[in-house]
Amino acid sequence: MMSTPLEQLVSRSREIGEDPSLVVYGGGNTSAKGVLVDHLGREQRVMWVKGSGADMRGSTASDYPALRLDDLRPLLARDDMSDEEMTDLVARALLDPGARRPSIETLLHAFLPYTHIDHVHADAICALTNHAEGPRIVAEALGEGFAYVDWMRPGFTLSKVVAELGDRDGVVLAHHGLITWGESTEVCAEHTRATVARAAAYLDALPMRVEAPARVPDMPDDEIERLLLHLRGAMSRTGRRVLHIDDRLRAVADRPDIADVVAGGVSSADHMLRIKPRSVIVASAASAAEDVDGYAAEYSAYVERNSEAMPEGFGMHDPMPRVALVPGLGAITTGATLRDAEVAADIAMRTHEVAATVADRIGAPEPLSDRETFRFDYWPMELYKLTLRPPAPDLAGYIAIVTGAASGIGRGIAVELAARGASLVLADLDGEGLEEAAERLRERGGAAPVLVAGDQSDEGVVEETVRRAVRDFGGLDGAVINAGIGVTGTLEELTLAQWDSAQRINLTSGFLLTRAAMRVLREQGSGGSLVYVASKNAFGPGAGFGAYSVSKAGMVQLMRIAALEGGGAGIRANAINPDAVFDNSRLWDDGLREERAAAHGIAPGELEDFYASRNILKRRVTTADVAATAAFLLSDASSRTTGAVIPVDGGVAGAFPR
Ligand SMILES: [Zn+2]
């Protein structure tokens, strides 16, 4: 059976979407025209066009809403039309009013008579146009048959301009991309492919204007870590973010003319939605804060001088860079999650490689004018795409370590923090349990955590845990010091080894992580929060549970010292005193349940109810209760609280903090 135009469109678009040299992350759009029988059985001439912000890669039929051509074509007679009116009129042509919003370039597709149309933001095409000699180079590369259209923001006027060029071989849009077409999907696809290949071959055949640059020496590891911390610290003035190192941009970052490449701006205008109009160049850890401040000041000045073009109801975006190019390293990109930062790196790679190709083969890369950059940067039609994303959760961009995360309270805290958008390093002795915890996070929609399997009372393991937060996410905001074991026995019974292991695993591990985390937080310079999961036993000890109770009392004192010493650097420290948390906690395995039951003169199975009956509120305490308190203490909601102990024990008068 012959496939329908819509099926052909989806399959052709998916193929385009697979090639990042043609489109990335929702860029470009495609269309097909045909006949559809509507809900009342009438035949309608329609056009299917990609939805605004839809990614061609992996797209499905629902990403291509159908519009009545008879409602779109007459609009060609208009002289003028605002974006708002255009959006409204296009929406009225939808066959299904509930369909996703069609591309801002819908009229461009509707006004051209062809059955199949591709519009891609191909790198090779952008390299032909993003400099002073665009028209000449396009004609040389693709022949006189192709039309060259100087930069014009998409919308009604551009659609009318392109409608006049339907008799040409195709249309090149400066600083934007390519429009090609065909009567069949095969002809259209081949036309797109061949045109981009011709542009690439033309560029390859041009002689290199500059010598291949010498490689800048690799940045040493400790310098990279300092650089990440200083960058993140400087950027944290406007919010938290994850930083990601991408070495694919190393060759670009090492170029002696890197400033010229960056000055070329973005290759296709829509890249600025994700990576801003410019990247910043950062030379070293020592200069990072100054480089970022300089960038933010320049961005603010650009918004200020274009303020009369600011659309109503909008304000300045975050002035911090999304992409930093670092000689000797590559790029450091930012985002609310590692995934966002990786997307920014993918886009930055296209943008800067196009500018580098222009510099190598043609001449100085040129950006859009300041005003046109601003008009695109603050274009409500483009910003609409961002509104399609769910709102950022309250811990987006927050980086935290959770120890003892393989089970029990630690795992519960990790799940809670991940659900709130935090990027996590999870540590535990139990590597298999960590994998399970990571799986639980993914099930709940959290980002993939970094896992560190090892003994948190080992200095080297703790240093590595903190280092991974810096290397993998760019810094640190908080740590939940939770790893611990239960050790029972009266003082007369306890062996030295039992006593030592309780202190080492419950308390010394807390000291080691406090030390390592505080050093990093101080270097980063944007404060932080340390949360100690102590115990009701710290204030209300139990006979026969001495080694444990002493270690937890020590932990509360450790927290107080951390609060005193860290306060000047904005580092907060607080403790949680839970009691009798049973759900999925391994603390009660290995005989502890039986021993505590015996100590209270009850059967082991009665222990949960016994503890619940003992507290003031008569309620069982769960990991979720402790996790919610940990999230509160890590977050800015508790920004004025340090040195505090919060009981999560249902109320035990003998263990009230004092
Ligand atoms: Zn476009």
Side-chain angles (χ1 to χ4, degrees), residues 23 26-29 103-105 108-109 119-121 151 154 158 173 175-179 268-270 376 382 385:
V23 292
N29 37 67
S103 163
I104 187 67
E105 278 149 340
L108 186 154
H109 289 262
H119 164 51
V120 295
H121 298 166
W151 165 257
L158 178 64
L173 305 172
H175 298 280
H176 185 170
L178 175 71
I179 305 163
S268 182
D270 74 328
F376 199 92
E382 186 74 3
K385 294 177 184 172

PDB file of all heavy atoms in Angstrom, residues 23 26-29 103-105 108-109 119-121 151 154 158 173 175-179 268-270 376 382 385, ligand 1:
ATOM      1  N   VAL A  23      19.781  19.631  11.595  1.00  0.00           N
ATOM      2  CA  VAL A  23      18.952  20.287  12.622  1.00  0.00           C
ATOM      3  C   VAL A  23      19.325  19.721  13.982  1.00  0.00           C
ATOM      4  O   VAL A  23      19.748  18.576  14.090  1.00  0.00           O
ATOM      5  CB  VAL A  23      17.429  20.054  12.421  1.00  0.00           C
ATOM      6  CG1 VAL A  23      16.923  20.754  11.187  1.00  0.00           C
ATOM      7  CG2 VAL A  23      17.087  18.575  12.377  1.00  0.00           C
ATOM      8  N   GLY A  26      14.800  20.436  17.914  1.00  0.00           N
ATOM      9  CA  GLY A  26      13.599  21.220  17.613  1.00  0.00           C
ATOM     10  C   GLY A  26      13.803  22.267  16.532  1.00  0.00           C
ATOM     11  O   GLY A  26      12.874  22.983  16.189  1.00  0.00           O
ATOM     12  N   GLY A  27      15.015  22.366  15.978  1.00  0.00           N
ATOM     13  CA  GLY A  27      15.258  23.337  14.917  1.00  0.00           C
ATOM     14  C   GLY A  27      14.678  22.843  13.600  1.00  0.00           C
ATOM     15  O   GLY A  27      14.458  21.653  13.403  1.00  0.00           O
ATOM     16  N   GLY A  28      14.438  23.794  12.670  1.00  0.00           N
ATOM     17  CA  GLY A  28      13.959  23.451  11.342  1.00  0.00           C
ATOM     18  C   GLY A  28      12.505  23.007  11.347  1.00  0.00           C
ATOM     19  O   GLY A  28      11.892  22.823  12.397  1.00  0.00           O
ATOM     20  N   ASN A  29      11.952  22.863  10.148  1.00  0.00           N
ATOM     21  CA  ASN A  29      10.595  22.343  10.041  1.00  0.00           C
ATOM     22  C   ASN A  29      10.359  21.816   8.636  1.00  0.00           C
ATOM     23  O   ASN A  29      11.067  22.163   7.699  1.00  0.00           O
ATOM     24  CB  ASN A  29       9.552  23.395  10.438  1.00  0.00           C
ATOM     25  CG  ASN A  29       9.950  24.774   9.982  1.00  0.00           C
ATOM     26  OD1 ASN A  29       9.988  25.041   8.792  1.00  0.00           O
ATOM     27  ND2 ASN A  29      10.294  25.639  10.933  1.00  0.00           N
ATOM     28  N   SER A 103       4.328  25.321  13.594  1.00  0.00           N
ATOM     29  CA  SER A 103       5.556  26.114  13.488  1.00  0.00           C
ATOM     30  C   SER A 103       5.270  27.574  13.160  1.00  0.00           C
ATOM     31  O   SER A 103       4.316  27.902  12.461  1.00  0.00           O
ATOM     32  CB  SER A 103       6.430  25.516  12.384  1.00  0.00           C
ATOM     33  OG  SER A 103       7.402  26.446  11.981  1.00  0.00           O
ATOM     34  N   ILE A 104       6.154  28.448  13.630  1.00  0.00           N
ATOM     35  CA  ILE A 104       6.071  29.873  13.304  1.00  0.00           C
ATOM     36  C   ILE A 104       6.298  30.072  11.792  1.00  0.00           C
ATOM     37  O   ILE A 104       5.928  31.090  11.230  1.00  0.00           O
ATOM     38  CB  ILE A 104       7.103  30.675  14.136  1.00  0.00           C
ATOM     39  CG1 ILE A 104       6.939  32.181  13.973  1.00  0.00           C
ATOM     40  CG2 ILE A 104       8.528  30.282  13.787  1.00  0.00           C
ATOM     41  CD1 ILE A 104       5.677  32.705  14.556  1.00  0.00           C
ATOM     42  N   GLU A 105       6.880  29.079  11.131  1.00  0.00           N
ATOM     43  CA  GLU A 105       7.142  29.188   9.692  1.00  0.00           C
ATOM     44  C   GLU A 105       6.043  28.524   8.857  1.00  0.00           C
ATOM     45  O   GLU A 105       6.219  28.257   7.666  1.00  0.00           O
ATOM     46  CB  GLU A 105       8.538  28.621   9.375  1.00  0.00           C
ATOM     47  CG  GLU A 105       9.638  29.663   9.646  1.00  0.00           C
ATOM     48  CD  GLU A 105      10.984  29.100  10.092  1.00  0.00           C
ATOM     49  OE1 GLU A 105      11.028  27.948  10.558  1.00  0.00           O
ATOM     50  OE2 GLU A 105      11.992  29.818   9.977  1.00  0.00           O
ATOM     51  N   LEU A 108       5.098  30.193   5.501  1.00  0.00           N
ATOM     52  CA  LEU A 108       6.147  30.016   4.495  1.00  0.00           C
ATOM     53  C   LEU A 108       5.899  28.713   3.721  1.00  0.00           C
ATOM     54  O   LEU A 108       5.984  28.666   2.494  1.00  0.00           O
ATOM     55  CB  LEU A 108       7.498  30.013   5.209  1.00  0.00           C
ATOM     56  CG  LEU A 108       8.794  29.982   4.409  1.00  0.00           C
ATOM     57  CD1 LEU A 108       9.908  30.614   5.248  1.00  0.00           C
ATOM     58  CD2 LEU A 108       9.183  28.575   4.030  1.00  0.00           C
ATOM     59  N   HIS A 109       5.562  27.665   4.463  1.00  0.00           N
ATOM     60  CA  HIS A 109       5.276  26.377   3.823  1.00  0.00           C
ATOM     61  C   HIS A 109       3.968  26.441   3.025  1.00  0.00           C
ATOM     62  O   HIS A 109       3.865  25.874   1.945  1.00  0.00           O
ATOM     63  CB  HIS A 109       5.175  25.272   4.891  1.00  0.00           C
ATOM     64  CG  HIS A 109       6.486  24.906   5.514  1.00  0.00           C
ATOM     65  ND1 HIS A 109       7.220  23.816   5.103  1.00  0.00           N
ATOM     66  CD2 HIS A 109       7.205  25.479   6.512  1.00  0.00           C
ATOM     67  CE1 HIS A 109       8.334  23.732   5.840  1.00  0.00           C
ATOM     68  NE2 HIS A 109       8.347  24.742   6.704  1.00  0.00           N
ATOM     69  N   HIS A 119      12.804  22.498   5.566  1.00  0.00           N
ATOM     70  CA  HIS A 119      13.546  23.690   5.987  1.00  0.00           C
ATOM     71  C   HIS A 119      14.497  23.249   7.091  1.00  0.00           C
ATOM     72  O   HIS A 119      14.061  22.859   8.166  1.00  0.00           O
ATOM     73  CB  HIS A 119      12.589  24.773   6.475  1.00  0.00           C
ATOM     74  CG  HIS A 119      13.279  25.845   7.260  1.00  0.00           C
ATOM     75  ND1 HIS A 119      14.399  26.494   6.790  1.00  0.00           N
ATOM     76  CD2 HIS A 119      13.039  26.353   8.493  1.00  0.00           C
ATOM     77  CE1 HIS A 119      14.814  27.355   7.714  1.00  0.00           C
ATOM     78  NE2 HIS A 119      14.017  27.281   8.761  1.00  0.00           N
ATOM     79  N   VAL A 120      15.807  23.266   6.791  1.00  0.00           N
ATOM     80  CA  VAL A 120      16.808  22.815   7.769  1.00  0.00           C
ATOM     81  C   VAL A 120      17.757  23.956   8.112  1.00  0.00           C
ATOM     82  O   VAL A 120      17.904  24.905   7.346  1.00  0.00           O
ATOM     83  CB  VAL A 120      17.620  21.605   7.231  1.00  0.00           C
ATOM     84  CG1 VAL A 120      16.709  20.401   7.062  1.00  0.00           C
ATOM     85  CG2 VAL A 120      18.340  21.947   5.930  1.00  0.00           C
ATOM     86  N   HIS A 121      18.377  23.852   9.296  1.00  0.00           N
ATOM     87  CA  HIS A 121      19.362  24.855   9.727  1.00  0.00           C
ATOM     88  C   HIS A 121      20.759  24.262   9.537  1.00  0.00           C
ATOM     89  O   HIS A 121      21.544  24.191  10.474  1.00  0.00           O
ATOM     90  CB  HIS A 121      19.123  25.219  11.199  1.00  0.00           C
ATOM     91  CG  HIS A 121      17.784  25.828  11.464  1.00  0.00           C
ATOM     92  ND1 HIS A 121      17.260  25.965  12.718  1.00  0.00           N
ATOM     93  CD2 HIS A 121      16.855  26.372  10.622  1.00  0.00           C
ATOM     94  CE1 HIS A 121      16.058  26.549  12.653  1.00  0.00           C
ATOM     95  NE2 HIS A 121      15.804  26.792  11.390  1.00  0.00           N
ATOM     96  N   TRP A 151      19.248  38.186   6.254  1.00  0.00           N
ATOM     97  CA  TRP A 151      18.552  37.853   7.505  1.00  0.00           C
ATOM     98  C   TRP A 151      17.244  38.623   7.653  1.00  0.00           C
ATOM     99  O   TRP A 151      17.178  39.836   7.473  1.00  0.00           O
ATOM    100  CB  TRP A 151      19.425  38.149   8.722  1.00  0.00           C
ATOM    101  CG  TRP A 151      18.584  38.142   9.980  1.00  0.00           C
ATOM    102  CD1 TRP A 151      18.132  39.226  10.683  1.00  0.00           C
ATOM    103  CD2 TRP A 151      18.037  36.994  10.632  1.00  0.00           C
ATOM    104  NE1 TRP A 151      17.344  38.828  11.746  1.00  0.00           N
ATOM    105  CE2 TRP A 151      17.271  37.453  11.739  1.00  0.00           C
ATOM    106  CE3 TRP A 151      18.106  35.619  10.395  1.00  0.00           C
ATOM    107  CZ2 TRP A 151      16.596  36.591  12.599  1.00  0.00           C
ATOM    108  CZ3 TRP A 151      17.436  34.761  11.255  1.00  0.00           C
ATOM    109  CH2 TRP A 151      16.691  35.249  12.341  1.00  0.00           C
ATOM    110  N   PRO A 154      11.818  35.221  11.081  1.00  0.00           N
ATOM    111  CA  PRO A 154      10.689  34.484  10.510  1.00  0.00           C
ATOM    112  C   PRO A 154       9.360  35.149  10.854  1.00  0.00           C
ATOM    113  O   PRO A 154       9.237  35.875  11.830  1.00  0.00           O
ATOM    114  CB  PRO A 154      10.790  33.101  11.171  1.00  0.00           C
ATOM    115  CG  PRO A 154      12.221  32.964  11.546  1.00  0.00           C
ATOM    116  CD  PRO A 154      12.678  34.348  11.896  1.00  0.00           C
ATOM    117  N   LEU A 158       8.675  37.365   5.906  1.00  0.00           N
ATOM    118  CA  LEU A 158       9.605  36.400   5.315  1.00  0.00           C
ATOM    119  C   LEU A 158       8.829  35.381   4.471  1.00  0.00           C
ATOM    120  O   LEU A 158       9.271  35.001   3.378  1.00  0.00           O
ATOM    121  CB  LEU A 158      10.417  35.683   6.403  1.00  0.00           C
ATOM    122  CG  LEU A 158      11.386  34.610   5.888  1.00  0.00           C
ATOM    123  CD1 LEU A 158      12.472  35.221   5.003  1.00  0.00           C
ATOM    124  CD2 LEU A 158      12.047  33.849   7.047  1.00  0.00           C
ATOM    125  N   LEU A 173      18.579  31.145   3.528  1.00  0.00           N
ATOM    126  CA  LEU A 173      18.266  32.231   4.460  1.00  0.00           C
ATOM    127  C   LEU A 173      19.517  32.521   5.289  1.00  0.00           C
ATOM    128  O   LEU A 173      19.987  31.654   6.026  1.00  0.00           O
ATOM    129  CB  LEU A 173      17.119  31.829   5.389  1.00  0.00           C
ATOM    130  CG  LEU A 173      15.818  31.351   4.731  1.00  0.00           C
ATOM    131  CD1 LEU A 173      14.854  30.817   5.791  1.00  0.00           C
ATOM    132  CD2 LEU A 173      15.172  32.496   3.944  1.00  0.00           C
ATOM    133  N   HIS A 175      22.127  33.428   8.068  1.00  0.00           N
ATOM    134  CA  HIS A 175      22.120  33.245   9.527  1.00  0.00           C
ATOM    135  C   HIS A 175      20.966  32.359   9.992  1.00  0.00           C
ATOM    136  O   HIS A 175      20.494  32.477  11.109  1.00  0.00           O
ATOM    137  CB  HIS A 175      22.038  34.598  10.260  1.00  0.00           C
ATOM    138  CG  HIS A 175      23.209  35.478   9.996  1.00  0.00           C
ATOM    139  ND1 HIS A 175      24.406  35.321  10.648  1.00  0.00           N
ATOM    140  CD2 HIS A 175      23.374  36.500   9.127  1.00  0.00           C
ATOM    141  CE1 HIS A 175      25.263  36.231  10.203  1.00  0.00           C
ATOM    142  NE2 HIS A 175      24.662  36.951   9.280  1.00  0.00           N
ATOM    143  N   HIS A 176      20.485  31.514   9.089  1.00  0.00           N
ATOM    144  CA  HIS A 176      19.288  30.761   9.443  1.00  0.00           C
ATOM    145  C   HIS A 176      19.316  29.354   8.846  1.00  0.00           C
ATOM    146  O   HIS A 176      19.458  28.393   9.587  1.00  0.00           O
ATOM    147  CB  HIS A 176      18.070  31.569   8.990  1.00  0.00           C
ATOM    148  CG  HIS A 176      16.762  30.980   9.376  1.00  0.00           C
ATOM    149  ND1 HIS A 176      15.574  31.641   9.242  1.00  0.00           N
ATOM    150  CD2 HIS A 176      16.444  29.767   9.867  1.00  0.00           C
ATOM    151  CE1 HIS A 176      14.582  30.875   9.659  1.00  0.00           C
ATOM    152  NE2 HIS A 176      15.087  29.727  10.041  1.00  0.00           N
ATOM    153  N   GLY A 177      19.232  29.220   7.521  1.00  0.00           N
ATOM    154  CA  GLY A 177      19.205  27.863   6.976  1.00  0.00           C
ATOM    155  C   GLY A 177      18.771  27.813   5.526  1.00  0.00           C
ATOM    156  O   GLY A 177      18.972  28.765   4.767  1.00  0.00           O
ATOM    157  N   LEU A 178      18.131  26.702   5.166  1.00  0.00           N
ATOM    158  CA  LEU A 178      17.863  26.368   3.767  1.00  0.00           C
ATOM    159  C   LEU A 178      16.404  25.951   3.607  1.00  0.00           C
ATOM    160  O   LEU A 178      15.840  25.291   4.477  1.00  0.00           O
ATOM    161  CB  LEU A 178      18.770  25.187   3.376  1.00  0.00           C
ATOM    162  CG  LEU A 178      18.593  24.567   1.997  1.00  0.00           C
ATOM    163  CD1 LEU A 178      19.097  25.526   0.912  1.00  0.00           C
ATOM    164  CD2 LEU A 178      19.350  23.233   1.914  1.00  0.00           C
ATOM    165  N   ILE A 179      15.808  26.320   2.450  1.00  0.00           N
ATOM    166  CA  ILE A 179      14.472  25.815   2.113  1.00  0.00           C
ATOM    167  C   ILE A 179      14.576  25.096   0.774  1.00  0.00           C
ATOM    168  O   ILE A 179      15.052  25.669  -0.211  1.00  0.00           O
ATOM    169  CB  ILE A 179      13.443  26.958   2.009  1.00  0.00           C
ATOM    170  CG1 ILE A 179      13.425  27.786   3.301  1.00  0.00           C
ATOM    171  CG2 ILE A 179      12.048  26.398   1.731  1.00  0.00           C
ATOM    172  CD1 ILE A 179      12.756  29.136   3.127  1.00  0.00           C
ATOM    173  N   SER A 268      22.940  29.479  13.558  1.00  0.00           N
ATOM    174  CA  SER A 268      21.557  29.653  13.131  1.00  0.00           C
ATOM    175  C   SER A 268      20.837  30.325  14.299  1.00  0.00           C
ATOM    176  O   SER A 268      21.018  29.941  15.453  1.00  0.00           O
ATOM    177  CB  SER A 268      20.918  28.300  12.814  1.00  0.00           C
ATOM    178  OG  SER A 268      19.586  28.485  12.365  1.00  0.00           O
ATOM    179  N   ALA A 269      20.042  31.353  13.978  1.00  0.00           N
ATOM    180  CA  ALA A 269      19.521  32.229  15.034  1.00  0.00           C
ATOM    181  C   ALA A 269      18.869  31.465  16.183  1.00  0.00           C
ATOM    182  O   ALA A 269      19.007  31.855  17.347  1.00  0.00           O
ATOM    183  CB  ALA A 269      18.532  33.229  14.431  1.00  0.00           C
ATOM    184  N   ASP A 270      18.163  30.358  15.891  1.00  0.00           N
ATOM    185  CA  ASP A 270      17.420  29.708  16.969  1.00  0.00           C
ATOM    186  C   ASP A 270      18.325  29.049  18.010  1.00  0.00           C
ATOM    187  O   ASP A 270      17.862  28.681  19.082  1.00  0.00           O
ATOM    188  CB  ASP A 270      16.376  28.721  16.429  1.00  0.00           C
ATOM    189  CG  ASP A 270      16.980  27.447  15.894  1.00  0.00           C
ATOM    190  OD1 ASP A 270      18.121  27.508  15.372  1.00  0.00           O
ATOM    191  OD2 ASP A 270      16.328  26.390  15.999  1.00  0.00           O
ATOM    192  N   PHE A 376      15.564  38.773  18.135  1.00  0.00           N
ATOM    193  CA  PHE A 376      15.355  37.319  18.152  1.00  0.00           C
ATOM    194  C   PHE A 376      15.448  36.775  19.573  1.00  0.00           C
ATOM    195  O   PHE A 376      14.653  35.938  19.995  1.00  0.00           O
ATOM    196  CB  PHE A 376      16.372  36.617  17.245  1.00  0.00           C
ATOM    197  CG  PHE A 376      15.937  35.223  16.877  1.00  0.00           C
ATOM    198  CD1 PHE A 376      15.203  34.982  15.720  1.00  0.00           C
ATOM    199  CD2 PHE A 376      16.234  34.146  17.701  1.00  0.00           C
ATOM    200  CE1 PHE A 376      14.769  33.713  15.397  1.00  0.00           C
ATOM    201  CE2 PHE A 376      15.806  32.863  17.385  1.00  0.00           C
ATOM    202  CZ  PHE A 376      15.070  32.650  16.230  1.00  0.00           C
ATOM    203  N   GLU A 382       9.578  32.790  19.798  1.00  0.00           N
ATOM    204  CA  GLU A 382      10.645  31.823  20.068  1.00  0.00           C
ATOM    205  C   GLU A 382      10.611  31.418  21.552  1.00  0.00           C
ATOM    206  O   GLU A 382      10.781  30.255  21.896  1.00  0.00           O
ATOM    207  CB  GLU A 382      11.997  32.461  19.699  1.00  0.00           C
ATOM    208  CG  GLU A 382      13.199  31.547  19.781  1.00  0.00           C
ATOM    209  CD  GLU A 382      13.282  30.524  18.657  1.00  0.00           C
ATOM    210  OE1 GLU A 382      12.427  30.526  17.751  1.00  0.00           O
ATOM    211  OE2 GLU A 382      14.204  29.695  18.701  1.00  0.00           O
ATOM    212  N   LYS A 385       8.553  28.447  22.937  1.00  0.00           N
ATOM    213  CA  LYS A 385       9.059  27.066  22.983  1.00  0.00           C
ATOM    214  C   LYS A 385       9.492  26.688  24.398  1.00  0.00           C
ATOM    215  O   LYS A 385       9.377  25.540  24.811  1.00  0.00           O
ATOM    216  CB  LYS A 385      10.239  26.890  22.023  1.00  0.00           C
ATOM    217  CG  LYS A 385       9.869  27.042  20.565  1.00  0.00           C
ATOM    218  CD  LYS A 385      11.111  26.924  19.676  1.00  0.00           C
ATOM    219  CE  LYS A 385      10.757  27.175  18.215  1.00  0.00           C
ATOM    220  NZ  LYS A 385      11.986  27.257  17.385  1.00  0.00           N
TER     221      LYS A 385
HETATM  222 ZN    ZN B   1      14.162  28.060  10.680  1.00  0.00          ZN
END
